[in-house]
Amino acid sequence: RYGCTSCHPVAGHPATRVGPDIAWLDDPRPRSKDEIRRVVLHGFHRDGVMTMPGYEGRLSADALERIVESRVSVSKRPGG
């Protein structure tokens, strides 16, 4: 609905996307719910360049929480 998979692969599929895996399976660092919310709302910048747009004002509170909870549930899977 919000176009996440146009940039992010999901569990490695398709591998040709430019963003990190939406499940962040390749990143062993756990992310808190607050960190996930911050990135989704305000975007992500690397070396002063926006690499992910923020979605503040475009997501309902319910949609944001569904995104946060889906990421948290993926990180709790074995190997995730």
Side-chain angles (χ1 to χ4, degrees), residues 32-54:
S32 70
K33 290 181 179 184
D34 287 339
E35 184 176 1
I36 296 166
R37 279 187 201 95
R38 181 187 56 75
V39 169
V40 171
L41 289 175
H42 303 292
F44 187 80
H45 294 77
R46 178 173 288 143
D47 298 326
V49 176
M50 182 182 67
T51 59
M52 178 182 151

Side-chain angles (χ1 to χ4, degrees), residues 15-35:
T16 57
R17 300 290 192 238
V18 296
D21 197 302
I22 203 163
W24 291 323
L25 297 174
D26 58 345
D27 185 348
R29 185 176 68 129
R31 286 186 163 68
S32 70
K33 290 181 179 184
D34 287 339
E35 184 176 1

Side-chain angles (χ1 to χ4, degrees), residues 54-67:
Y55 287 84
E56 187 170 30
R58 297 192 284 172
L59 288 173
S60 68
D62 185 55
L64 176 61
E65 288 311 305
R66 285 195 311 269
I67 291 168

